[in-house]
Amino acid sequence: MTTDFSRVPGAPVSADISSLVRLHTALRAVNYTYEGVASLLGDRAFEAMTRDQLTPGIYRLNQVLGYEKTASTFSLGEKSLAQVVRFFLMGQVLESAELEAALGAGLCDLLVELGLAESAASGSLQASVDLRPHAADDGTELYVASDLGAHQRPGVLRKDHVLGIGHASLTLAQFTERTPLERALDLGTGCGIQTFHLLAHARHVTATDISERALAFTRFNLLLNAPALEIDPQKLEDRVSLLHGSLLEPVAGQSFDLVVSNPPFVITPRSSGETPADQFTYRDGGMAGDGIVSTLVRQLPEVLNPGGRAQMLGNWEIPVAGPGEQADWSARPRDWVGQEAEAWFIQREVLAPEQYAETWLRDASENRDPAHYEQAYTDYLRDFAARGVDAIGFGMIWLRRPNLQAAGERLHRFEEITYPIQQPIASFITEAVAHYDAVTALDDEALLAQHLVVAGDVTEERHLSPGSEHPSLILLRAGAGLRRTILETTETSGFVSACDGELSVGQIVNALATLLDWQDASPQQELISNIRELLEKSFLRLEQGD
């Protein structure tokens, strides 16, 4: 349902636009920008901060402020910036006079009024939120408010913690396709980071969340960054709708061209008598096992327009394999994808149950209470054992509602890629899907008439034993995109080497058939199948104009 999120207890206040303008102006005046902070801290301290390690940054700021000896000298502007970084990013208590000297007279009162700061002791303040600069891939400079992290405050995180910009949110932003469109849905918006990116290419964005605090953070961030996001703060609803509710309930009856979601996918043991207040809303969907992800994979196509797409992150359980069998990580995800949808799952990481439990217990600082940690860890192990879970996979999920007029085959691809890939990957995904659609629309006769070229990032690697005349192994490697490697046959290698756009596929295949003295059609059919794989995975390209 639609609610006023300008004043929600425990969240930043966004009722007064002029106050947000004043804050934005003060932050910009002190060069509190992504580049400004990175330059002030230096590469190593800034990189450490991205790993939630604050000590190198604090040491550097103490040098800037003269608390640590250094041969360098710093300007008054750098010292003012250092105080703001100490306050918002390092979680340090500052004297009100120090903060006002940096940001300007009256700013301390403003920060308290906006819910960004609270009294720590007589005459001093501490940040009540993390407010940090963020630079989008297109260069847009933003400020993003979220709850303070475990590295900035003591104790276990609050259950309704609003997560800030992290590795997962940046991964999703880099995975999201950026084609211009009318309507987009950010499901589980959190602090709103995906909505900010969507506004660059979507006319209207609907942002939903089960947490009213999260929606209040999103509204604050949208209005604080209104000029950069090209939003009229007096008419926010023209560009963004903020809706409260679970999963797809708030958008029942609506449809979208694109859905993005970093859902609360963390697998958490359920307990009898559990209530939503017992759950970490930013990560826990309240369903058993990987139910939140399976539900979304099944239901998201229903809110997509024909040809519409969804990109999301998720976990999936990998069951224990039977005797003599090898576990198939994709078995469960395949079952989730209905006949009326297309899917591309890319598994990026696999964790054992023990590793998984340790990761997420640390994430919420639950390891700070030894007794609770031991009990929660045991609950995880019992939960996974009860359902026969051998491992947990994590990765990226691409979905599409098919366009009934499309001529190509429906895409159902499940692959594991655990090594580094091109980032951002979105443009490659968009191009790869378009190429897949074009290639699968060709029957064998049409394929044989095409002229192909090798993609510009592709190289061939041959392995020979010392003294051997012929290679024992031929690999084709893609240097961009998903950076796949394919094992080639001698025939496939010969075909690829002739793909310079001059000869058609049929001409090259016929030449190989004569050279290798094929006696029947089976080698040709095998080669055509291999050619299709190379095309569908973008090692080979249809020559432009064909």
Side-chain angles (χ1 to χ4, degrees), residues 312-390:
M312 59 181 284
L313 305 181
N315 273 166
W316 39 85
E317 297 180 339
I318 304 173
V320 175
E325 298 178 355
Q326 185 174 359
D328 178 10
W329 72 266
S330 68
R332 288 173 57 76
R334 287 180 190 274
D335 287 342
W336 301 340
V337 181
Q339 294 301 311
E340 299 306 314
E342 297 178 271
W344 186 355
F345 278 67
I346 303 174
Q347 179 164 274
R348 299 287 288 142
E349 185 179 15
V350 179
L351 295 178
E354 294 80 5
Q355 294 171 301
Y356 193 85
E358 292 163 14
T359 295
W360 292 108
L361 289 173
R362 284 196 307 268
D363 175 77
S365 299
E366 293 178 87
N367 55 333
R368 293 178 176 175
D369 180 341
H372 169 79
Y373 179 75
E374 181 178 353
Q375 182 60 56
Y377 199 147
T378 302
D379 290 343
Y380 262 106
L381 298 182
R382 285 175 178 158
D383 184 55
F384 285 131
R387 291 197 310 281
V389 177
D390 183 59

Side-chain angles (χ1 to χ4, degrees), residues 9 17 64 82 113 118 122 143 203 223 243 310 341 436 460 530:
I17 304 300
V64 175
E113 291 169 6
E118 57 193 10
S122 178
Y143 293 111
R203 187 192 63 79
L223 295 177
L243 302 179
Y436 174 90
E460 187 178 76
N530 290 339

Side-chain angles (χ1 to χ4, degrees), residues 56-182:
I58 292 172
Y59 177 71
R60 172 62 173 171
L61 295 175
N62 286 341
Q63 288 181 321
V64 175
L65 294 168
Y67 306 148
E68 291 279 355
K69 290 183 179 180
T70 177
S72 302
T73 58
F74 299 95
S75 67
L76 181 60
E78 289 172 316
K79 292 180 180 182
S80 295
L81 176 58
Q83 297 287 28
V84 177
V85 174
R86 284 179 64 204
F87 186 73
F88 281 123
L89 301 186
M90 305 300 170
Q92 295 193 327
V93 174
L94 264 66
E95 296 291 330
S96 298
E98 294 178 311
L99 197 53
E100 293 220 344
L103 285 174
L107 262 293
C108 285
D109 288 341
L110 180 66
L111 293 178
V112 173
E113 291 169 6
L114 292 175
L116 305 180
E118 57 193 10
S119 296
S122 178
S124 63
L125 291 177
Q126 64 183 18
S128 51
V129 304
D130 177 306
L131 180 63
R132 68 180 54 217
H134 170 68
D137 289 332
D138 63 0
T140 303
E141 288 274 357
L142 303 171
Y143 293 111
V144 181
S146 63
D147 274 326
L148 293 166
H151 59 295
Q152 298 164 308
R153 59 178 297 279
V156 176
L157 299 183
R158 57 186 295 165
K159 295 295 185 177
D160 57 356
H161 178 81
V162 176
L163 197 64
I165 302 170
H167 176 72
S169 57
L170 293 177
T171 295
L172 179 58
Q174 292 172 325
F175 179 52
T176 301
E177 297 179 84
R178 299 299 175 192
T179 54
L181 48 88
E182 282 293 307

